[in-house]
Amino acid sequence: LYKAKTDYKGLMFKLGANYKMSRRVSLGFAYQPKVKLDMTGKSTIEYGNVYPEIEIDDDYIIPTSIRWGLTYLPRNPYKTTFQMDMEYNKYSEINKFYDDTYAIFVGVEHYVGRAMPLRLGFKHEQSFGDAEIGNISMPTVSAGTAFPIAKNLVLNISGEFSTRTYECLDLFHDSFYDHNGLWRTIKPKDRGWENPDKVEEQFFKVQTNLSYTW
């Protein structure tokens, strides 16, 4: 059991700009430079016995991020907003073994009547992973809506589903099962990348929040 308590200190800023090309089309751009935070704290490991605390004094790096996007308002009887964004993250600034990644976001919000919005979205993003293995993509679809509770108070709710498939070394090494009497002939041997495990993961996420405007 690994436990750690850490504090992070540093300064971070973002720059952004928005340009309205017409009544229906707007362009946006955002830039966040590399941030290096001071990470301090203590950690301990429990493995049968409790070992002494270890002092943590290291840098925590948030990589450079660049994002640009488009907003389009089509001609509709009811309000409809279409948005498309692309984001680039330079994870190689953290570690040379990491890949830089990109992500694409597409979403639409359409009002049913004049009060209830219907929101649909799609996201395709990569994991910084390992440069030797390659990025792992994780497509995501989402849907949501909002309900007015009182004047100026709105409840938002959304759900999303993500999936990804990748290969990795044995999650449980074969040598873990090397017990006397369990194997009669060949004893198990840990495998490398010549025979990795295939991992399939699915994620479900539900999010709610309250919005108040004045």
Side-chain angles (χ1 to χ4, degrees):
L1 181 62
Y2 175 79
K3 295 181 180 179
K5 292 183 178 181
T6 53
D7 292 323
Y8 302 87
K9 294 181 180 179
L11 182 64
M12 173 180 175
F13 70 92
K14 291 184 178 182
L15 299 175
N18 180 271
Y19 175 65
K20 194 171 184 178
M21 297 181 62
S22 67
R23 293 177 57 189
R24 303 192 177 279
V25 180
S26 297
L27 300 177
F29 174 81
Y31 171 75
Q32 174 239 297
K34 175 183 174 182
V35 181
K36 184 180 290 187
L37 305 177
D38 294 327
M39 181 175 62
T40 58
K42 294 181 179 180
S43 68
T44 183
I45 299 175
E46 298 180 13
Y47 187 78
N49 297 318
V50 178
Y51 292 87
E53 287 186 332
I54 301 172
E55 294 287 339
I56 299 174
D57 187 5
D58 204 350
D59 293 330
Y60 185 88
I61 299 174
I62 300 176
T64 298
S65 177
I66 302 174
R67 186 163 179 159
W68 56 96
L70 166 74
T71 298
Y72 173 62
L73 303 175
R75 294 178 180 271
N76 272 345
Y78 298 109
K79 183 181 178 181
T80 301
T81 304
F82 173 82
Q83 290 182 313
M84 182 174 65
D85 291 26
M86 179 174 286
E87 185 177 58
Y88 171 77
N89 293 292
K90 198 171 183 181
Y91 281 100
S92 57
E93 294 178 336
I94 299 177
N95 191 303
K96 66 179 181 179
F97 295 107
Y98 291 163
D99 277 343
D100 297 339
T101 66
Y102 73 89
I104 298 175
F105 308 85
V106 179
V108 62
E109 179 185 67
H110 175 71
Y111 275 80
V112 181
R114 297 185 179 274
M116 184 177 176
L118 176 62
R119 299 162 181 160
L120 299 174
F122 172 78
K123 175 175 63 175
H124 182 278
E125 60 181 345
Q126 296 176 317
S127 167
F128 50 82
D130 188 314
E132 296 298 323
I133 304 170
N135 285 316
I136 301 169
S137 61
M138 186 166 68
T140 301
V141 292
S142 61
T145 187
F147 305 93
I149 297 178
K151 184 179 180 181
N152 299 336
L153 185 64
V154 176
L155 171 66
N156 299 281
I157 183 170
S158 65
E160 70 175 38
F161 170 75
S162 307
T163 182
R164 65 181 177 184
T165 302
Y166 60 94
E167 292 182 339
C168 72
L169 294 175
D170 288 345
L171 296 178
F172 301 96
H173 293 299
D174 290 344
S175 59
F176 180 79
Y177 304 96
D178 185 8
H179 301 293
N180 292 330
L182 184 60
W183 305 93
R184 293 185 178 181
T185 53
I186 302 175
K187 287 191 175 182
K189 182 180 179 181
D190 293 338
R191 296 171 294 174
W193 283 111
E194 73 279 358
N195 190 9
D197 285 346
K198 181 180 179 181
V199 182
E200 296 180 358
E201 296 179 327
Q202 288 82 36
F203 302 89
F204 297 91
K205 183 187 295 183
V206 177
Q207 179 174 304
T208 62
N209 64 67
L210 290 172
S211 301
Y212 181 78
T213 57
W214 65 89

